[in-house]
Amino acid sequence: MAGPAFRAAAVRVRVPATSANLGPGFDSLGLSLGLYDDVVVRVADSGLHIDIAGEGSETLPRDEKHLLVRSLRTAFDLLGGQPRGLEIVCANRIPHGRGLGSSSAAICAGIVAARAVTIGGESKLDDTALLELATEIEGHPDNVAPCLLGGFTIAWMEAGAARAIRLEPSDSIVPVVFVPGKPVLTETARGLLPRSVPHVDASANAGRAALLVEALTRRPELLLPATEDRLHQEYRAPAMPESAALVERLRADGVPAVISGAGPTVLALVDEDSADKVAHLAGEGWAANRLALDAQGASVLPLAATSDV
């Protein structure tokens, strides 16, 4: 059986940073943020060549071990076969190991690029399959869902398959991220979680997570109570005491603040009038950035129209 045909033109894929959990929405809620990695992929005659600029340029592997390459390879297998060679250029802006979805961005960039350079790729790997594949590689859907879909997402597993819906966050919300200098491994943060929690805490989180959907989409004035969490942030605090202290301080000042993903970045969800003031509250040792909400998710941007191969 003949293998797939590939496009000669390079494709550019842009993928956003994401913040998961958002307080009470552990492993289910995610928000797409206006901070992006760009990846250019071209099918070559042979070999594998990777250029990396920006975040991770000094530490990321430039071979088959790179998560982006592994994701490309996995998607190509599903699409019918591997290309003869690959040329990849990465412009990374999402900080690594900070709870802003850098690994999900690499996974989504890889599988979206593989589909884009394969002729007929969308018919072989539709959007539902794309989410399922990204989740299979990542292990859970809470970050890959907003990375693929944009906006505010609710993700869950059903009969072993990933599912997600996209909602429109209120356009009055301004995300402010406080990024510390040192990373925390997701495995480290997740390893601190207990096997069970008190029923009263689980009940409280269920109510807050439901409220957070309303707060993020229609009533941002409810974001402070809606982002209260009892399920994971307190347990993870020993791995990121400065982040936990900053969340506590911001919330005491009335700022809806949470640990972004598995940390250690702190995410505040504020309005336009207070965004600049809040961005100056963290002090030294933090890179504070106000971001836009991303509405597009992973996007394919062709570089040129040339013949197929």
Side-chain angles (χ1 to χ4, degrees), residues 167-233:
L167 301 174
E168 291 291 342
S170 170
D171 58 11
S172 68
I173 295 174
V174 179
V176 178
V177 293
F178 302 89
V179 184
K182 295 181 179 180
V184 170
L185 293 176
T186 299
E187 294 80 2
T188 300
R190 189 169 286 270
L192 293 172
L193 298 178
R195 294 180 61 87
S196 61
V197 297
H199 188 278
V200 65
D201 289 344
S203 175
N205 256 57
R208 290 299 195 269
L211 180 61
L212 184 53
V213 175
E214 175 75 3
L216 273 170
T217 56
R218 298 197 299 180
R219 298 183 63 184
E221 70 273 14
L222 294 174
L223 278 169
L224 184 60
T227 50
E228 181 183 347
D229 166 69
R230 299 189 194 178
L231 203 59
H232 66 101
Q233 292 184 149

Side-chain angles (χ1 to χ4, degrees), residues 281-308:
L281 293 179
E284 295 183 4
W286 299 87
N289 297 290
R290 53 178 292 173
L291 302 174
L293 294 168
D294 169 74
Q296 300 300 317
S299 302
V300 178
L301 307 171
L303 296 181
T306 60
S307 60
D308 298 331

Side-chain angles (χ1 to χ4, degrees), residues 79-94:
L79 289 163
Q82 299 292 327
R84 296 184 297 270
L86 288 171
E87 294 178 355
I88 302 168
V89 179
C90 303
N92 295 339
R93 303 174 188 89
I94 303 171

Side-chain angles (χ1 to χ4, degrees), residues 6 41 73 95 114 119 122 153 187 190 200 234 253-254 267 297 305:
F6 301 103
V41 175
R73 296 298 191 195
I119 296 174
E122 289 194 9
T153 58
E187 294 80 2
R190 189 169 286 270
V200 65
E234 181 180 351
D253 288 339
L267 170 71

Side-chain angles (χ1 to χ4, degrees), residues 8-31:
V11 297
R12 186 172 112 206
V13 176
R14 171 164 285 186
V15 285
T18 54
S19 182
N21 300 328
L22 306 178
F26 181 67
D27 274 4
S28 59
L29 302 184
L31 194 64

